[in-house]
Amino acid sequence: MRTVTARTAARAATRTLGPALALALGLGALAGCGIRGTAVPVDAGSAPSRATCVVRSGAQSLPPSGSVALSVQLVCGSQLLPVPRVMALPKSTPEDPLAVAQALLEELRRAPSSTEADAGFSTDVPLRLSVSGPRKDDPAGTLRLSRAPEELPPLAVAQLACTFTGTAAAGGEAAVVLGGPGDEAPRRFACTDEVRTRPETVRGTAV
């Protein structure tokens, strides 16, 4: 009876120690390879993005007669990058700030083409957003949006600022004055290198 009891106890001990022994050996092997064992999940970061952020050459259609080639700022890889677009402007007002702003806004509202989307581009500008000219007491060059800039996604505001600046929409300046439909005073939004690389940092300043 003692012999049977001893064998039974030995088998039970083996079943109990087996998994623990295997775990210890596994951790020892990892340590021997220079990898520290851990009992908690490790966050290795997100998977590499397949976005190229480059629109394939020749993807743009031939510009029709009377059209203008301008760039709009789209989002790719959490930053802003210029994408060429061809748009039509009234021949009588090719340098009119409001006409240019409306044409650029229309392009920003439009969903990226399949080629642009495949390259990783997107837009945060709302589809129903519109733009109008300054009110009587607004600073010169003010553009009034149908929604206050503070109510828009930061990426959308950065897209608008960096798309408008340097064009007739902003009078060729490196900043644009944007207001909303309410009584709040318009604010100046500059397109800096930081805004292009970190669009969420866009901020308006008093005019």
Side-chain angles (χ1 to χ4, degrees):
M1 294 293 294
R2 290 182 179 179
T3 301
V4 173
T5 301
R7 289 178 179 175
T8 303
R11 291 173 181 173
T14 300
R15 286 195 299 268
T16 302
L17 295 177
L21 181 59
L23 177 60
L25 291 175
L27 292 177
L30 289 175
C33 294
I35 302 175
R36 180 180 296 177
T38 177
V40 295
V42 176
D43 183 4
S46 58
S49 173
R50 294 183 178 180
T52 63
C53 296
V54 176
V55 178
R56 180 172 52 84
S57 177
Q60 301 294 323
S61 59
L62 293 176
S65 176
S67 62
V68 177
L70 292 174
S71 293
V72 296
Q73 299 286 331
L74 299 184
V75 182
C76 190
S78 300
Q79 62 181 333
L80 299 184
L81 293 171
V83 175
R85 291 279 178 83
V86 176
M87 59 199 76
L89 291 174
K91 293 182 179 180
S92 58
T93 56
E95 294 299 321
D96 178 69
L98 180 56
V100 174
Q102 290 173 336
L104 290 171
L105 176 57
E106 183 177 353
E107 292 298 319
L108 287 173
R109 291 189 313 226
R110 183 163 61 86
S113 66
S114 58
T115 301
E116 294 166 350
D118 289 343
F121 287 99
S122 64
T123 182
D124 266 33
V125 176
L127 183 61
R128 297 183 181 275
L129 189 67
S130 61
V131 61
S132 58
R135 296 175 181 171
K136 181 179 179 181
D137 298 327
D138 282 343
T142 296
L143 295 173
R144 287 276 181 176
L145 303 172
S146 57
R147 288 178 59 183
E150 294 76 15
E151 297 177 358
L152 295 172
L155 287 180
V157 178
Q159 284 184 260
L160 291 166
C162 288
T163 297
F164 289 161
T165 54
T167 71
E173 301 292 331
V176 62
V177 180
L178 298 176
D183 296 329
E184 296 82 0
R187 299 175 69 82
R188 177 176 282 105
F189 293 85
C191 181
T192 64
D193 289 340
E194 182 179 15
V195 170
R196 291 189 186 93
T197 55
R198 298 178 59 198
E200 70 279 2
T201 64
V202 66
R203 296 291 184 274
T205 58
V207 180

Coordinates of all heavy atoms in Angstrom, one line a residue, residues 113-197:
S113 N -10.2 61.2 -54.8 CA -10.3 60.2 -55.9 C -9.8 58.9 -55.4 O -9.1 58.8 -54.4 CB -9.6 60.7 -57.1 OG -8.2 60.7 -56.9
S114 N -10.1 57.9 -56.2 CA -9.7 56.5 -55.8 C -8.1 56.5 -55.7 O -7.5 55.8 -54.9 CB -10.2 55.5 -56.8 OG -9.8 55.8 -58.1
T115 N -7.5 57.2 -56.7 CA -6.0 57.2 -56.7 C -5.5 57.9 -55.4 O -4.5 57.4 -54.8 CB -5.5 57.9 -57.9 OG1 -6.0 57.3 -59.1 CG2 -4.0 57.9 -57.9
E116 N -6.1 59.0 -55.0 CA -5.7 59.7 -53.8 C -6.0 58.9 -52.6 O -5.1 58.8 -51.7 CB -6.4 61.1 -53.8 CG -6.0 62.0 -54.9 CD -7.0 63.2 -55.0 OE1 -8.0 63.2 -54.4 OE2 -6.6 64.2 -55.7
A117 N -7.1 58.2 -52.5 CA -7.5 57.4 -51.4 C -6.5 56.2 -51.3 O -6.1 55.9 -50.1 CB -8.9 56.9 -51.5
D118 N -6.1 55.6 -52.4 CA -5.2 54.5 -52.3 C -3.8 55.0 -51.8 O -3.1 54.2 -51.2 CB -5.0 53.9 -53.7 CG -6.3 53.2 -54.2 OD1 -7.1 52.8 -53.3 OD2 -6.4 52.9 -55.4
A119 N -3.5 56.2 -52.0 CA -2.2 56.8 -51.5 C -2.3 57.2 -50.1 O -1.3 57.5 -49.5 CB -1.8 58.0 -52.4
G120 N -3.5 57.1 -49.5 CA -3.7 57.4 -48.1 C -4.2 58.8 -47.8 O -4.3 59.2 -46.6
F121 N -4.7 59.5 -48.8 CA -5.2 60.8 -48.5 C -6.7 60.8 -48.1 O -7.5 60.0 -48.5 CB -5.1 61.7 -49.8 CG -3.7 62.1 -50.1 CD1 -2.9 61.5 -51.0 CD2 -3.1 63.2 -49.4 CE1 -1.6 61.8 -51.3 CE2 -1.8 63.6 -49.7 CZ -1.1 62.9 -50.6
S122 N -7.1 61.8 -47.3 CA -8.4 62.0 -46.8 C -8.7 63.4 -46.5 O -7.8 64.2 -46.6 CB -8.7 61.1 -45.6 OG -7.9 61.6 -44.5
T123 N -9.9 63.8 -46.3 CA -10.3 65.2 -45.9 C -11.2 65.2 -44.8 O -12.1 64.3 -44.6 CB -10.9 65.9 -47.1 OG1 -11.2 67.3 -46.8 CG2 -12.2 65.3 -47.6
D124 N -11.0 66.2 -43.9 CA -11.9 66.3 -42.7 C -12.9 67.5 -42.9 O -13.7 67.8 -42.0 CB -11.1 66.6 -41.5 CG -10.8 65.3 -40.7 OD1 -10.6 64.3 -41.4 OD2 -10.7 65.3 -39.5
V125 N -12.9 68.2 -44.0 CA -13.7 69.3 -44.3 C -15.2 68.8 -44.5 O -15.4 68.0 -45.4 CB -13.2 70.1 -45.5 CG1 -14.2 71.3 -45.8 CG2 -11.8 70.7 -45.2
P126 N -16.1 69.3 -43.7 CA -17.5 68.9 -43.8 C -18.1 69.2 -45.2 O -17.8 70.2 -45.8 CB -18.2 69.7 -42.7 CG -17.2 70.1 -41.8 CD -15.9 70.3 -42.6
L127 N -18.9 68.3 -45.6 CA -19.5 68.4 -47.0 C -20.4 69.6 -47.1 O -20.5 70.2 -48.2 CB -20.3 67.1 -47.3 CG -20.9 67.0 -48.7 CD1 -19.8 67.0 -49.7 CD2 -21.7 65.7 -48.8
R128 N -21.1 70.0 -46.1 CA -22.1 71.1 -46.1 C -21.5 72.4 -45.8 O -22.2 73.4 -45.7 CB -23.3 70.8 -45.2 CG -24.1 69.6 -45.6 CD -25.3 69.4 -44.7 NE -26.0 68.2 -45.1 CZ -27.0 68.1 -46.0 NH1 -27.2 69.2 -46.7 NH2 -27.6 67.0 -46.3
L129 N -20.2 72.5 -45.6 CA -19.5 73.8 -45.2 C -19.5 74.7 -46.5 O -19.3 74.3 -47.6 CB -18.1 73.5 -44.8 CG -17.4 74.8 -44.2 CD1 -18.0 75.2 -42.9 CD2 -15.9 74.4 -44.0
S130 N -19.8 76.0 -46.2 CA -19.8 77.0 -47.3 C -19.0 78.2 -46.8 O -18.7 78.4 -45.6 CB -21.2 77.4 -47.7 OG -21.9 78.0 -46.6
V131 N -18.7 79.1 -47.7 CA -17.9 80.3 -47.4 C -18.5 81.5 -48.1 O -19.0 81.4 -49.2 CB -16.4 80.1 -47.8 CG1 -16.3 79.9 -49.3 CG2 -15.6 81.3 -47.4
S132 N -18.5 82.6 -47.4 CA -19.0 83.9 -48.0 C -18.0 85.0 -47.7 O -17.0 84.8 -46.9 CB -20.4 84.2 -47.4 OG -20.3 84.3 -46.0
G133 N -18.3 86.2 -48.2 CA -17.3 87.3 -48.1 C -17.5 88.0 -46.7 O -18.3 87.6 -45.9
P134 N -16.7 89.1 -46.5 CA -16.7 89.8 -45.3 C -18.0 90.6 -45.0 O -18.7 91.0 -46.0 CB -15.5 90.7 -45.4 CG -15.3 90.9 -46.9 CD -15.8 89.6 -47.5
R135 N -18.3 90.9 -43.8 CA -19.4 91.8 -43.4 C -18.9 93.2 -43.4 O -17.7 93.4 -43.6 CB -19.9 91.4 -42.1 CG -20.6 90.0 -42.0 CD -21.0 89.6 -40.6 NE -21.6 88.3 -40.6 CZ -21.9 87.6 -39.4 NH1 -21.7 88.2 -38.3 NH2 -22.4 86.4 -39.5
K136 N -19.8 94.1 -43.2 CA -19.4 95.5 -43.2 C -18.3 95.9 -42.4 O -17.4 96.6 -42.8 CB -20.7 96.3 -42.9 CG -20.5 97.8 -43.0 CD -21.7 98.6 -42.6 CE -21.5 100.1 -42.7 NZ -22.8 100.9 -42.3
D137 N -18.3 95.4 -41.1 CA -17.2 95.8 -40.2 C -16.1 94.8 -40.0 O -15.3 94.9 -39.1 CB -17.9 96.1 -38.8 CG -18.9 97.2 -38.8 OD1 -18.7 98.1 -39.6 OD2 -19.9 97.1 -38.1
D138 N -16.1 93.8 -40.9 CA -15.0 92.8 -40.8 C -13.7 93.4 -41.3 O -13.7 94.3 -42.2 CB -15.4 91.6 -41.6 CG -16.3 90.7 -40.9 OD1 -16.5 90.8 -39.7 OD2 -16.9 89.8 -41.6
P139 N -12.6 92.8 -40.8 CA -11.3 93.2 -41.4 C -11.2 92.9 -42.9 O -11.9 91.9 -43.3 CB -10.3 92.4 -40.6 CG -11.0 92.1 -39.3 CD -12.4 91.9 -39.7
A140 N -10.4 93.6 -43.6 CA -10.3 93.3 -45.0 C -9.8 91.9 -45.3 O -9.0 91.4 -44.6 CB -9.3 94.3 -45.7
G141 N -10.4 91.3 -46.3 CA -10.0 89.9 -46.6 C -10.7 88.8 -45.8 O -10.3 87.6 -46.0
T142 N -11.6 89.2 -44.9 CA -12.2 88.1 -44.1 C -13.1 87.2 -44.9 O -13.8 87.6 -45.8 CB -13.1 88.8 -43.0 OG1 -12.3 89.6 -42.1 CG2 -13.9 87.8 -42.2
L143 N -13.0 85.9 -44.6 CA -13.9 84.9 -45.2 C -14.8 84.4 -44.1 O -14.3 83.9 -43.1 CB -13.1 83.8 -45.8 CG -12.2 84.2 -47.1 CD1 -11.3 83.1 -47.5 CD2 -13.1 84.7 -48.2
R144 N -16.1 84.4 -44.3 CA -17.0 83.9 -43.3 C -17.5 82.5 -43.7 O -18.0 82.3 -44.8 CB -18.2 84.8 -43.2 CG -18.0 86.2 -42.6 CD -18.1 86.0 -41.1 NE -17.8 87.3 -40.4 CZ -17.9 87.4 -39.0 NH1 -18.3 86.4 -38.3 NH2 -17.7 88.6 -38.5
L145 N -17.3 81.5 -42.8 CA -17.7 80.2 -43.0 C -19.1 80.0 -42.4 O -19.5 80.7 -41.5 CB -16.7 79.2 -42.3 CG -15.3 79.3 -42.7 CD1 -14.4 78.4 -41.8 CD2 -15.1 78.9 -44.2
S146 N -19.8 79.0 -42.9 CA -21.1 78.7 -42.4 C -21.1 78.0 -41.0 O -22.2 77.9 -40.4 CB -21.9 77.8 -43.4 OG -21.2 76.6 -43.6
R147 N -20.0 77.6 -40.6 CA -19.8 77.1 -39.2 C -18.5 77.8 -38.6 O -17.6 78.0 -39.3 CB -19.6 75.6 -39.2 CG -20.8 74.8 -39.5 CD -20.5 73.3 -39.5 NE -20.0 72.8 -38.2 CZ -19.6 71.6 -38.0 NH1 -19.7 70.7 -38.9 NH2 -19.2 71.2 -36.8
A148 N -18.6 78.1 -37.3 CA -17.5 78.8 -36.7 C -16.3 77.9 -36.7 O -16.4 76.7 -36.5 CB -17.8 79.2 -35.3
P149 N -15.1 78.5 -37.0 CA -13.9 77.6 -37.0 C -13.7 76.8 -35.7 O -13.2 75.7 -35.8 CB -12.7 78.7 -37.1 CG -13.4 79.8 -37.8 CD -14.8 79.9 -37.3
E150 N -14.1 77.3 -34.6 CA -14.0 76.6 -33.3 C -14.9 75.4 -33.2 O -14.6 74.5 -32.4 CB -14.3 77.5 -32.1 CG -13.4 78.7 -31.9 CD -13.6 79.8 -32.9 OE1 -14.7 79.8 -33.6 OE2 -12.7 80.7 -33.1
E151 N -15.9 75.3 -34.1 CA -16.8 74.2 -34.1 C -16.4 73.1 -35.1 O -16.9 72.0 -35.1 CB -18.2 74.6 -34.4 CG -18.8 75.6 -33.4 CD -20.2 76.1 -33.8 OE1 -20.6 75.7 -34.9 OE2 -20.8 76.8 -33.0
L152 N -15.4 73.4 -35.9 CA -14.9 72.5 -36.9 C -13.8 71.6 -36.3 O -13.1 72.0 -35.4 CB -14.4 73.2 -38.1 CG -15.4 74.1 -38.9 CD1 -14.7 74.9 -40.0 CD2 -16.4 73.1 -39.6
P153 N -13.6 70.4 -36.9 CA -12.5 69.6 -36.5 C -11.1 70.4 -36.8 O -11.0 71.1 -37.8 CB -12.5 68.4 -37.4 CG -14.0 68.3 -37.9 CD -14.4 69.8 -38.0
P154 N -10.2 70.3 -35.9 CA -8.9 71.0 -36.1 C -8.3 70.7 -37.4 O -7.7 71.6 -38.0 CB -8.1 70.5 -34.9 CG -9.0 70.2 -33.8 CD -10.2 69.6 -34.6
L155 N -8.4 69.4 -37.8 CA -7.8 69.1 -39.1 C -8.4 69.9 -40.3 O -7.8 70.3 -41.2 CB -7.9 67.6 -39.4 CG -7.0 66.7 -38.6 CD1 -7.2 65.2 -38.9 CD2 -5.5 67.0 -38.8
A156 N -9.7 70.1 -40.2 CA -10.5 70.8 -41.2 C -10.0 72.3 -41.2 O -9.8 72.8 -42.3 CB -12.0 70.7 -41.0
V157 N -9.9 72.9 -40.1 CA -9.4 74.3 -40.0 C -8.0 74.4 -40.6 O -7.7 75.3 -41.3 CB -9.4 74.8 -38.5 CG1 -8.9 76.2 -38.5 CG2 -10.8 74.7 -38.0
A158 N -7.1 73.4 -40.2 CA -5.8 73.5 -40.8 C -5.8 73.3 -42.3 O -5.0 74.0 -43.0 CB -4.9 72.4 -40.1
Q159 N -6.7 72.4 -42.8 CA -6.8 72.3 -44.3 C -7.2 73.6 -44.9 O -6.6 74.0 -46.0 CB -7.8 71.2 -44.6 CG -7.3 69.7 -44.4 CD -8.3 68.7 -44.8 OE1 -9.0 68.2 -44.0 NE2 -8.4 68.5 -46.1
L160 N -8.2 74.2 -44.3 CA -8.7 75.5 -44.9 C -7.6 76.5 -44.9 O -7.3 77.2 -45.9 CB -9.9 76.0 -44.1 CG -11.2 75.1 -44.3 CD1 -12.2 75.5 -43.2 CD2 -11.8 75.3 -45.7
A161 N -6.9 76.7 -43.7 CA -5.9 77.7 -43.6 C -4.8 77.5 -44.6 O -4.3 78.4 -45.3 CB -5.4 77.7 -42.2
C162 N -4.3 76.3 -44.7 CA -3.1 76.0 -45.6 C -3.5 75.9 -47.0 O -2.7 76.1 -47.9 CB -2.4 74.7 -45.1 SG -1.5 74.9 -43.5
T163 N -4.8 75.7 -47.3 CA -5.2 75.7 -48.7 C -5.4 77.1 -49.2 O -5.1 77.5 -50.3 CB -6.5 74.9 -48.9 OG1 -6.2 73.5 -48.6 CG2 -7.0 75.0 -50.4
F164 N -6.0 78.0 -48.3 CA -6.3 79.4 -48.7 C -5.1 80.2 -48.8 O -4.9 81.1 -49.7 CB -7.3 80.0 -47.8 CG -8.7 79.4 -47.9 CD1 -9.6 79.6 -46.8 CD2 -9.1 78.8 -49.0 CE1 -10.9 79.1 -46.9 CE2 -10.4 78.3 -49.1 CZ -11.3 78.4 -48.1
T165 N -4.1 80.0 -47.8 CA -3.0 80.9 -47.8 C -2.1 80.8 -49.0 O -2.0 79.7 -49.6 CB -2.1 80.6 -46.5 OG1 -1.8 79.2 -46.6 CG2 -2.8 80.9 -45.2
G166 N -1.6 81.9 -49.4 CA -0.7 82.0 -50.6 C -1.5 82.1 -51.9 O -0.9 82.2 -53.0
T167 N -2.8 82.0 -51.8 CA -3.7 82.2 -53.0 C -4.4 83.5 -53.0 O -4.4 84.2 -52.0 CB -4.7 81.0 -53.1 OG1 -5.7 81.2 -52.1 CG2 -4.0 79.7 -53.0
A168 N -5.2 83.7 -54.0 CA -6.0 85.0 -54.0 C -7.1 84.9 -52.9 O -7.5 86.0 -52.5 CB -6.7 85.1 -55.4
A169 N -7.4 83.8 -52.4 CA -8.4 83.7 -51.3 C -7.9 84.4 -50.1 O -8.7 84.9 -49.3 CB -8.7 82.2 -51.0
A170 N -6.6 84.4 -49.9 CA -6.1 85.1 -48.7 C -5.2 86.3 -49.1 O -4.4 86.8 -48.4 CB -5.2 84.2 -47.9
G171 N -5.5 86.8 -50.3 CA -4.7 87.9 -50.8 C -3.2 87.7 -51.0 O -2.4 88.6 -50.9
G172 N -2.9 86.4 -51.2 CA -1.5 86.0 -51.3 C -0.7 86.0 -50.0 O 0.5 85.7 -50.0
E173 N -1.4 86.2 -48.9 CA -0.7 86.2 -47.6 C -0.5 84.8 -47.1 O -1.1 83.9 -47.5 CB -1.5 87.1 -46.6 CG -1.8 88.5 -47.0 CD -0.5 89.3 -47.0 OE1 0.4 89.0 -46.2 OE2 -0.4 90.3 -47.8
A174 N 0.4 84.7 -46.0 CA 0.7 83.5 -45.4 C -0.3 83.1 -44.3 O -0.1 82.2 -43.5 CB 2.1 83.4 -44.9
A175 N -1.4 83.9 -44.2 CA -2.4 83.7 -43.2 C -3.7 84.1 -43.8 O -3.8 84.9 -44.7 CB -2.1 84.4 -41.9
V176 N -4.8 83.5 -43.2 CA -6.1 83.9 -43.7 C -7.0 84.2 -42.6 O -6.9 83.6 -41.5 CB -6.7 82.7 -44.6 CG1 -6.9 81.5 -43.7 CG2 -8.1 83.2 -45.2
V177 N -7.9 85.2 -42.7 CA -8.8 85.6 -41.7 C -10.1 84.9 -41.9 O -10.8 85.1 -42.9 CB -9.0 87.2 -41.7 CG1 -10.0 87.6 -40.6 CG2 -7.7 87.9 -41.5
L178 N -10.5 84.1 -40.9 CA -11.7 83.3 -41.0 C -12.7 83.6 -39.8 O -12.3 83.8 -38.7 CB -11.4 81.8 -40.9 CG -10.5 81.2 -42.0 CD1 -10.2 79.8 -41.7 CD2 -11.2 81.4 -43.4
G179 N -14.0 83.7 -40.1 CA -15.0 83.9 -39.2 C -16.1 82.9 -39.4 O -16.1 82.1 -40.3
G180 N -17.1 82.9 -38.5 CA -18.2 82.0 -38.6 C -19.5 82.8 -38.8 O -19.4 84.0 -39.1
P181 N -20.6 82.2 -38.7 CA -21.9 82.8 -39.0 C -22.4 83.7 -37.9 O -23.4 84.5 -38.1 CB -22.8 81.6 -39.2 CG -22.3 80.6 -38.4 CD -20.8 80.7 -38.4
G182 N -21.8 83.6 -36.7 CA -22.3 84.4 -35.6 C -21.6 85.7 -35.4 O -21.0 86.3 -36.4
D183 N -21.7 86.3 -34.2 CA -21.1 87.6 -34.0 C -19.7 87.6 -33.5 O -19.1 88.7 -33.2 CB -22.0 88.4 -33.0 CG -23.4 88.6 -33.5 OD1 -23.6 88.8 -34.7 OD2 -24.4 88.6 -32.7
E184 N -19.1 86.5 -33.3 CA -17.8 86.4 -32.9 C -16.8 87.0 -33.9 O -17.0 86.9 -35.1 CB -17.3 84.9 -32.6 CG -18.1 84.2 -31.6 CD -19.4 83.6 -32.1 OE1 -19.7 83.8 -33.3 OE2 -20.2 83.0 -31.3
A185 N -15.8 87.7 -33.3 CA -14.8 88.4 -34.2 C -14.0 87.4 -35.0 O -13.6 86.3 -34.5 CB -13.9 89.2 -33.4
P186 N -13.8 87.6 -36.3 CA -12.9 86.7 -37.1 C -11.5 86.7 -36.5 O -11.1 87.6 -35.8 CB -12.9 87.4 -38.4 CG -14.1 88.3 -38.4 CD -14.2 88.8 -37.0
R187 N -10.8 85.6 -36.8 CA -9.5 85.4 -36.3 C -8.5 85.0 -37.4 O -9.0 84.5 -38.5 CB -9.4 84.3 -35.2 CG -10.3 84.6 -34.0 CD -10.4 83.5 -33.0 NE -9.1 83.3 -32.3 CZ -8.7 84.0 -31.3 NH1 -9.4 85.0 -30.8 NH2 -7.5 83.8 -30.7
R188 N -7.3 85.3 -37.3 CA -6.3 85.0 -38.3 C -5.7 83.6 -38.1 O -5.2 83.3 -37.0 CB -5.2 86.1 -38.3 CG -4.1 85.8 -39.3 CD -3.1 86.9 -39.3 NE -3.6 88.1 -40.1 CZ -4.0 89.2 -39.6 NH1 -3.9 89.4 -38.2 NH2 -4.4 90.2 -40.3
F189 N -5.6 82.8 -39.1 CA -5.1 81.5 -39.0 C -3.9 81.4 -40.0 O -4.1 81.6 -41.2 CB -6.1 80.4 -39.4 CG -7.3 80.3 -38.4 CD1 -8.3 81.2 -38.5 CD2 -7.2 79.4 -37.4 CE1 -9.4 81.1 -37.6 CE2 -8.2 79.3 -36.5 CZ -9.3 80.1 -36.6
A190 N -2.7 81.1 -39.4 CA -1.5 81.0 -40.2 C -1.2 79.6 -40.6 O -1.6 78.6 -39.8 CB -0.3 81.6 -39.5
C191 N -0.6 79.4 -41.7 CA -0.2 78.0 -42.1 C 1.4 77.9 -41.9 O 2.1 78.4 -42.8 CB -0.5 77.7 -43.6 SG 0.0 76.1 -44.1
T192 N 1.8 77.4 -40.8 CA 3.2 77.2 -40.5 C 3.6 75.8 -40.7 O 2.8 74.9 -41.0 CB 3.4 77.6 -39.0 OG1 2.7 76.7 -38.2 CG2 2.9 79.0 -38.7
D193 N 4.9 75.6 -40.6 CA 5.5 74.2 -40.8 C 4.9 73.3 -39.7 O 4.6 72.1 -40.0 CB 7.0 74.2 -40.7 CG 7.6 74.9 -41.9 OD1 7.0 74.9 -43.0 OD2 8.8 75.3 -41.8
E194 N 4.7 73.8 -38.5 CA 4.1 73.0 -37.4 C 2.7 72.6 -37.7 O 2.3 71.5 -37.5 CB 4.2 73.8 -36.1 CG 3.6 73.0 -34.9 CD 3.7 73.7 -33.6 OE1 3.9 75.0 -33.6 OE2 3.5 73.1 -32.6
V195 N 1.9 73.6 -38.3 CA 0.5 73.3 -38.6 C 0.5 72.2 -39.7 O -0.4 71.3 -39.7 CB -0.2 74.5 -39.1 CG1 -1.6 74.2 -39.7 CG2 -0.4 75.5 -37.9
R196 N 1.4 72.2 -40.7 CA 1.4 71.2 -41.7 C 1.8 69.8 -41.2 O 1.2 68.8 -41.6 CB 2.4 71.6 -42.8 CG 2.0 72.8 -43.6 CD 3.0 73.0 -44.8 NE 2.7 74.2 -45.5 CZ 3.4 75.4 -45.3 NH1 4.3 75.4 -44.4 NH2 3.1 76.5 -46.0
T197 N 2.7 69.8 -40.3 CA 3.2 68.5 -39.7 C 2.3 68.0 -38.6 O 2.2 66.8 -38.3 CB 4.6 68.5 -39.3 OG1 4.8 69.6 -38.3 CG2 5.5 68.8 -40.5

